[in-house]
Amino acid sequence: MKLYEEKIFSLEEKPKIYEILKTTNIILEIGSGNGAFLEHLGKTFRDKTVIGVELDIKRAKKCKRRIERNNLENTLILSGNAMEIIPLFFRDNSVEKTYMNFPEPWPKSSNWRNRLFEIGFLSMLDRITKPKGHFHLATDVENAFLTTNEILTEILGNWAYNANLSEEYKNSFIPTLYYEKWLSEGRTFWWGVWEKKC
């Protein structure tokens, strides 16, 4: 764990992280940006444990300030790579809902290392999600949406796309940093909610 102390443990105390991650009613946001959506989740799910994961330490600190300003005692932020943090801290069947909002702002093929939508990441997501749990995705990258749907519903085969929840997600969406940027550029968005089968 010493390797991660400078980032992951720089914003939250170890005992708090360890205690909170014992719970099995987690709401997770991957890529919390400046914290607007994380704040919304913290206020919406006050009876749950809300956890944000943000790669950029400066943005993670903004999230932390939002959490403190709103006295969201049920919410914390971890700074680091989700592919490293999730295996370290999240147990099987511990997450009720995961949100990823506009996670691929890297259109060039040379930026493939930054992308999460492949079998390894989605298998990891499958492992930590409870039966009947949900994965929410908002993206301006059609291939990210299509790849996610294919892996969850066909390759893993134990998830189902929910059109009604996807429409509800779209209509009740809280604007985020990239959403507002891409909206001003006139981009097309894809909204998806998948439910894990029992």
Side-chain angles (χ1 to χ4, degrees):
M1 292 294 180
K2 199 155 185 69
L3 176 65
Y4 302 100
E5 285 186 2
E6 286 186 14
K7 291 189 76 177
I8 296 174
F9 297 129
S10 65
L11 301 174
E12 307 286 355
E13 296 178 359
K14 280 186 194 179
K16 181 181 178 183
I17 293 173
Y18 291 153
E19 189 62 33
I20 286 177
L21 293 179
K22 290 178 184 177
T23 65
T24 57
N25 59 347
I26 294 171
I27 307 297
L28 173 64
E29 184 189 22
I30 300 174
S32 296
N34 62 7
F37 199 82
L38 184 64
E39 177 186 334
H40 163 69
L41 293 176
K43 292 177 177 177
T44 302
F45 298 102
R46 288 191 178 270
D47 60 335
K48 309 289 184 183
T49 300
V50 178
I51 300 172
V53 177
E54 171 55 46
L55 181 62
D56 187 281
I57 187 66
K58 291 180 181 178
R59 288 182 184 160
K61 287 178 179 178
K62 289 183 179 180
C63 293
K64 180 65 175 176
R65 287 194 290 272
R66 277 182 181 266
I67 291 168
E68 293 174 342
R69 190 165 58 242
N70 290 278
N71 297 313
L72 297 174
E73 295 183 6
N74 64 325
T75 306
L76 74 157
I77 182 73
L78 303 177
S79 180
N81 188 320
M83 292 293 286
E84 296 176 345
I85 289 176
I86 290 174
L88 279 172
F89 296 108
F90 289 81
R91 293 178 296 131
D92 294 2
N93 304 315
S94 62
V95 175
E96 292 186 9
K97 299 177 188 292
T98 298
Y99 293 83
M100 291 186 72
N101 300 315
F102 304 98
E104 291 203 352
W106 306 285
K108 295 180 181 178
S109 58
S110 60
N111 298 134
W112 65 270
R113 288 180 183 84
N114 294 326
R115 298 185 179 131
L116 291 173
F117 295 101
E118 39 76 32
I119 189 69
F121 170 73
L122 291 171
S123 294
M124 187 168 59
L125 179 73
D126 178 62
R127 176 184 65 77
I128 66 172
T129 304
K130 289 181 170 184
K132 294 190 176 180
H134 295 143
F135 175 52
H136 296 69
L137 173 66
T139 181
D140 65 308
V141 181
E142 183 180 17
N143 189 56
F145 177 86
L146 295 175
T147 300
T148 297
N149 189 60
E150 180 183 16
I151 291 174
L152 292 179
T153 64
E154 297 179 29
I155 297 175
L156 295 177
N158 59 336
W159 292 74
Y161 177 77
N162 189 311
N164 290 333
L165 288 179
S166 298
E167 187 66 19
E168 183 182 315
Y169 180 39
K170 173 184 175 181
N171 293 334
S172 62
F173 188 74
I174 302 299
T176 64
L177 181 67
Y178 281 115
Y179 171 82
E180 293 179 333
K181 179 178 174 61
W182 301 159
L183 186 66
S184 69
E185 295 179 4
R187 298 195 187 190
T188 301
F189 300 145
W190 285 265
W191 309 84
V193 177
W194 291 264
E195 183 173 2
K196 185 177 178 180
K197 300 175 185 177
C198 292

